[in-house]
Amino acid sequence: MESGFAPSEIDTTRAHPARMYDYYLGGKDNYAVDQEAAREVIRVAPEVRDMARANRAFLQRAVRFLAGESGIRQFLDIGTGIPTAGNVHEVAGEVAPEARVVYVDNDPIVNTHANALLSGSGATGIVLADVRDPAAILNHPTTRALLDFGEPIALLLLAVLHFVTDDEKPADIVAVLRDALPPGSYLALSHVTKDFRSQAAEAAAAVYNQATSTVTLRSHLVISSFFDGFKLVEPGLVQLPLWRPDGPLPRNLDKIWFYGGVARLAD
């Protein structure tokens, strides 16, 4: 556990998005309160489990692209969630065993599980911090020890910015992170939207309003603005299954109300 965070800060009275996501993916690292909230989301939006799997698959395709075609060897994954099979260090390591990864999440449960999973690995680290405080992430000793800010870094913001309200200025958060990245770096980002099944999306978001983080549904245009200063690689910002698919597409794309994209820091 990182210093400054006591085990008592693990709140089991309110659902946490990381633990709900773990439940969607069939994991067991969640509490009754998380299960209850997740089941309510599934009740109003049954496709949420398909979206969680689609987001996980997008993460893996994006990391393979970054480690392979783009030659990235450093990853900063903010909002990592409960560690499961196929995490960033495993996927990147298949392409580049020397790849280094810093995981960041604000849930002490994630921190505890990740530390146990990653123990003994000098190429990975876990930081207990919040995306809303990007300076704390960038200046954290673990971040500085593992990542060389003189070489390209892949910044991963997968399914995290929709937990940042408009008042918390997500575009400014991304800008702080972007401005710390060296030339040749990349941003991979995914975000939920109500551009498709708006009623189901709003009903699901309402459940999260009772959790530790609310959900803000944003349009394609607004999500695109988070890539300011970057140049999107093909096929741009698209529904997750459409980003460089490596298998058959789902029959009903409208049920995947999630956009994703990967972009290179503009020269």
Side-chain angles (χ1 to χ4, degrees):
M1 187 79 61
E2 299 290 346
S3 61
F5 292 87
S8 60
E9 292 187 30
I10 299 174
D11 186 355
T12 60
T13 65
R14 297 174 67 196
H16 190 283
R19 301 193 300 260
M20 292 171 67
Y21 187 72
D22 177 68
Y23 181 86
Y24 300 145
L25 291 172
K28 301 184 184 302
D29 295 313
N30 46 72
Y31 294 103
V33 66
D34 307 305
Q35 297 162 17
E36 182 180 352
R39 284 194 292 267
E40 179 60 17
V41 174
I42 292 168
R43 185 187 69 80
V44 299
E47 59 265 46
V48 70
R49 275 188 155 148
D50 291 333
M51 290 194 295
R53 287 190 286 266
N55 187 65
R56 192 75 183 169
F58 167 70
L59 165 68
Q60 293 168 353
R61 295 197 305 276
V63 170
R64 288 189 193 101
F65 164 78
L66 291 165
E69 186 175 331
S70 302
I72 298 295
R73 296 295 178 264
Q74 306 185 103
F75 296 82
L76 178 58
D77 181 12
I78 302 178
T80 182
I82 303 286
T84 59
N87 257 26
V88 175
H89 70 285
E90 294 176 334
V91 177
E94 292 174 358
V95 179
E98 71 275 24
R100 300 188 302 280
V101 181
V102 172
Y103 291 113
V104 182
D105 205 282
N106 69 352
D107 183 5
I109 287 286
V110 172
N111 181 268
T112 300
H113 280 270
N115 270 319
L117 177 71
L118 303 175
S119 112
S121 173
T124 56
I126 178 74
V127 171
L128 183 58
D130 196 297
V131 67
R132 298 168 186 83
D133 189 358
I137 295 170
L138 293 168
N139 296 321
H140 194 281
T142 298
T143 305
R144 290 293 163 177
L146 277 173
L147 302 184
D148 178 0
F149 280 78
E151 297 295 331
I153 296 169
L155 170 64
L156 310 180
L157 295 172
L158 280 293
V160 66
L161 287 184
H162 47 244
F163 295 118
V164 179
T165 67
D166 290 338
D167 289 343
E168 292 167 330
K169 300 182 178 179
D172 289 352
I173 291 170
V174 178
V176 171
L177 294 165
R178 177 199 66 210
D179 291 347
L181 297 176
S185 294
Y186 283 80
L187 168 64
L189 183 150
S190 66
H191 195 296
V192 73
T193 183
K194 63 174 182 179
D195 285 355
F196 304 100
R197 296 189 65 225
S198 59
Q199 287 186 330
E202 288 172 352
V207 178
Y208 277 92
N209 290 341
Q210 307 304 315
T212 57
S213 296
T214 61
V215 166
T216 300
L217 303 164
R218 296 186 173 98
S219 67
H220 187 277
L221 180 64
V222 173
I223 298 168
S224 295
S225 71
F226 297 146
F227 288 95
D228 286 353
F230 294 88
K231 183 178 180 181
L232 282 159
V233 302
E234 292 296 331
L237 181 65
V238 295
Q239 284 173 273
L240 297 181
L242 298 178
W243 197 89
R244 304 194 175 207
D246 55 8
L249 295 176
R251 293 181 181 178
N252 191 344
L253 273 174
D254 282 355
K255 290 189 175 182
I256 307 296
W257 16 284
F258 240 102
Y259 289 121
V262 177
R264 190 177 190 275
L265 188 62
D267 295 329

